[in-house]
Amino acid sequence: MKILSVIAFLLLLNPLNGWTQDIRPNVILLLVDDLGWSDIGCNGNIFYETPNVDSLARQSIFFTNASVSSPYEDEVRQSLFSGCFPVNQMKRNKGEVNLPEAFKRNGYALWHIGQGINGERAEKQAEFRNFDAIISGITSGAKGDPSYLVSQAQKLIQTKETGPFFLNLWFHGKERFQNENPALADYFKEKAMDKGWIDLFTNKIWCPDLYVDMPVKKGLGNLKMPEEAYYASYLSHLDSEIGNLLDYLKSTGEYENTIIVFTTDDGGDCKDRFMDCNAPLRGAAGEMFEGGVRVPLFIHFAASNRIGQRCNQVVILEDVFPTLSEICGLPVSGEQYMDGRSLAEVLKYRCEVKRDAVFWHFTQKEDKHLISAIRCCDWKYIYNHTTTESFLFHLGKDVGESINLVQKFPLKVACMQRKLNAWFGSIDKNELLFTHKEVVDSECEAP
């Protein structure tokens, strides 16, 4: 029996008989601003220390091939709520609900704590109009500190009445480097200066999986690495507070009945940085390479048969909306437009969601280049409209995107271009991107 059917049956008992309590699961959406895919221990990082996040990952289903549909956080957060690619937001019809509205309409207490969208306070934004409580942490000062945000979450959970809750907890990121924990920062400064991490003679910096050549930052020679140490101490502090929240849920008996989604809004910003270099991924926030769009995503769901497993299914953050809708029994209209696909069956069984490809189309903010991209299974194709430069990678064999296969596999390029053409037609673009002899997938080369 499907997850949705079981929940629907149990829910029917409550209003009719009055003796069954509301057993629908709570939901907590933990989003850490600008957290790189390689910034957590469960993805191989041995410099930053995130034991509580790693523990949560081991008690979850970890999606190793999760991506955001834009390299820019404001578009990602809007898409997370709508379930639509950024370029398809206009397809939503009047009256269609977003993720929090779907929970609100079905009797959930709705709380938001932390950042809003695009750096604005959440209480000023239409996306948050249905929340019962909004506590906006600010970038600087005590109200931006994870300790404050988690303490507010605990207060809300403590004072809640009957029924389930949806908690949207969005933490600040790298703006909080220089926190109020100098002792912790000093610990990471000493750790960073170990021979195993930084070799001042070769200018090589140790990242999670490999050595990479990077210029020595000014001030490194006199044993100062404040930015790295402060970021490491912030992550450690954040991790401790996430651990406090999880412990509190366990103490109240809510943990096993709470779905916890952990993710971020874009890739790590590794410019002028050492440890936060996204290795083995290429690129950073704002770019189309994996370092800019691949993100941590894991879902704790006690009813799942796949707890502790890693899933290589290609997923996007737009999948969160339909997934939570199905698991929690939210009757979202089948006519509502979504690009996301429900992962409910993936959480419960060893199967994959049916998806031909995922797409990107955006303008890079720094150089104003227009970029389109497509990922189909392990193949990824990137096209720069401004320079006409193109890239083809096979991520299964080259996750670092170091080998451009455009010249070696021209038929695969043609296949990916054809899929992009078809997708562009679906998003109301009048012109084709590419003009060439049509080919079918069976004609495309294998890697």
Side-chain angles (χ1 to χ4, degrees):
M1 186 179 291
K2 290 187 177 181
I3 299 170
L4 179 57
S5 300
V6 174
I7 293 176
F9 171 76
L10 291 173
L11 289 178
L12 284 174
L13 297 178
N14 188 31
L16 292 177
N17 298 313
W19 54 267
T20 304
Q21 68 178 30
D22 192 339
I23 50 78
R24 290 178 297 171
N26 308 307
V27 176
I28 298 180
L29 178 54
L30 297 176
L31 187 146
V32 181
D33 186 32
D34 294 337
L35 181 73
W37 185 85
S38 301
D39 285 356
I40 50 180
C42 51
N43 268 342
N45 197 303
I46 55 176
F47 179 73
Y48 299 140
E49 299 179 8
T50 57
N52 293 294
V53 169
D54 300 340
S55 177
L56 178 62
R58 290 191 296 271
Q59 299 171 46
S60 306
I61 300 89
F62 198 126
F63 292 93
T64 59
N65 268 308
S67 297
V68 290
S69 58
S70 170
Y72 302 117
E73 61 183 50
D74 52 340
E75 294 181 349
V76 171
R77 295 178 184 222
Q78 290 172 337
S79 291
L80 182 62
F81 271 11
S82 70
C84 303
F85 291 139
V87 295
N88 282 335
Q89 293 288 348
M90 297 303 294
K91 282 192 173 182
R92 300 187 72 223
N93 298 315
K94 186 177 181 180
E96 291 189 353
V97 298
N98 63 19
L99 175 61
E101 288 171 340
F103 279 98
K104 181 67 173 180
R105 290 188 178 188
N106 287 276
Y108 274 70
L110 209 59
W111 309 324
H112 173 81
I113 299 176
Q115 282 187 319
I117 295 174
N118 200 22
E120 298 291 333
R121 287 180 173 271
E123 59 266 31
K124 297 181 178 180
Q125 299 179 314
E127 289 86 352
F128 299 90
R129 62 181 177 271
N130 290 303
F131 279 81
D132 300 307
I134 297 177
I135 301 172
S136 288
I138 55 178
T139 301
S140 60
K143 290 188 177 181
D145 191 283
S147 298
Y148 173 78
L149 301 181
V150 168
S151 69
Q152 296 302 307
Q154 292 175 353
K155 288 179 181 178
L156 287 171
I157 296 171
Q158 183 179 25
T159 58
K160 87 175 185 73
E161 299 178 356
T162 59
F165 64 82
F166 175 91
L167 170 60
N168 206 48
L169 181 50
W170 289 0
F171 292 102
H172 297 283
K174 296 183 169 72
E175 302 91 347
R176 296 282 303 162
F177 286 159
Q178 301 188 34
N179 62 43
E180 296 75 24
N181 198 330
L184 194 56
D186 288 341
Y187 163 78
F188 282 104
K189 285 180 185 179
E190 294 180 8
K191 185 174 183 178
M193 290 304 157
D194 287 346
K195 179 71 173 180
W197 291 97
I198 298 179
D199 189 332
L200 299 179
F201 301 100
T202 65
N203 294 359
K204 289 184 181 293
I205 310 303
W206 177 252
C207 285
D209 292 288
L210 72 165
Y211 272 108
V212 293
D213 287 308
M214 303 180 87
V216 174
K217 183 182 292 187
K218 182 180 180 181
L220 183 61
N222 60 2
L223 304 183
K224 290 183 179 179
M225 276 194 67
E227 188 172 307
E228 291 303 331
Y230 282 123
Y231 179 53
S233 63
Y234 171 73
L235 277 186
S236 181
H237 177 46
L238 171 67
D239 179 81
S240 295
E241 291 304 322
I242 290 176
N244 288 338
L245 177 61
L246 299 179
D247 288 342
Y248 180 76
L249 286 171
K250 292 172 184 177
S251 71
T252 61
E254 297 282 6
Y255 181 73
E256 291 302 319
N257 193 40
T258 301
I259 299 169
I260 303 173
V261 180
F262 179 94
T263 191
T264 183
D265 51 11
D266 56 21
D269 183 7
C270 63
K271 297 177 181 178
D272 300 321
R273 299 178 57 73
F274 291 123
M275 305 306 171
D276 181 30
C277 63
N278 291 332
L281 306 183
R282 175 180 178 178
E287 299 178 339
M288 192 53 247
F289 298 115
E290 289 295 284
V293 296
R294 185 178 293 213
V295 295
L297 173 64
F298 40 90
I299 301 176
H300 167 78
F301 178 42
S304 172
N305 296 325
R306 304 189 64 184
I307 288 177
Q309 296 183 14
R310 290 194 170 221
C311 177
N312 293 325
Q313 164 78 48
V314 176
V315 301
I316 52 175
L317 288 198
E318 283 79 353
D319 295 337
V320 170
F321 186 172
T323 300
L324 294 178
S325 297
E326 181 169 352
I327 292 175
C328 298
L330 310 182
V332 178
S333 170
E335 296 180 358
Q336 176 160 329
Y337 181 82
M338 284 192 195
D339 292 302
R341 300 288 183 268
S342 174
L343 304 175
E345 295 298 320
V346 179
L347 295 176
K348 194 166 179 63
Y349 307 104
R350 291 178 179 273
C351 61
E352 295 187 353
V353 63
K354 294 181 179 180
R355 168 176 284 135
D356 180 49
V358 293
F359 302 90
W360 294 264
H361 184 67
F362 65 97
T363 300
Q364 291 187 163
K365 293 181 179 179
E366 290 190 358
D367 55 21
K368 306 302 181 185
H369 287 186
L370 183 63
I371 309 292
S372 293
I374 174 177
R375 177 171 179 179
C376 187
C377 298
D378 282 332
W379 288 102
K380 179 179 174 184
Y381 177 73
I382 306 171
Y383 181 74
N384 187 319
H385 298 255
T386 307
T387 66
T388 69
E389 186 178 20
S390 60
F391 300 89
L392 179 69
F393 303 111
H394 189 275
L395 298 178
K397 296 186 176 182
D398 179 26
V399 72
E401 297 172 302
S402 60
I403 304 173
N404 188 355
L405 300 173
V406 165
Q407 298 300 322
K408 186 175 182 179
F409 296 105
L411 290 181
K412 174 57 72 173
V413 171
C415 285
M416 302 295 261
Q417 290 176 341
R418 177 172 57 82
K419 291 178 184 294
L420 268 174
N421 273 344
W423 180 65
F424 257 64
S426 73
I427 61 173
D428 300 325
K429 297 289 181 181
N430 294 324
E431 71 285 353
L432 293 179
L433 291 178
F434 312 101
T435 55
H436 51 72
K437 176 182 175 291
E438 288 292 325
V439 295
V440 296
D441 287 339
S442 60
E443 295 178 281
C444 296
E445 304 97 330

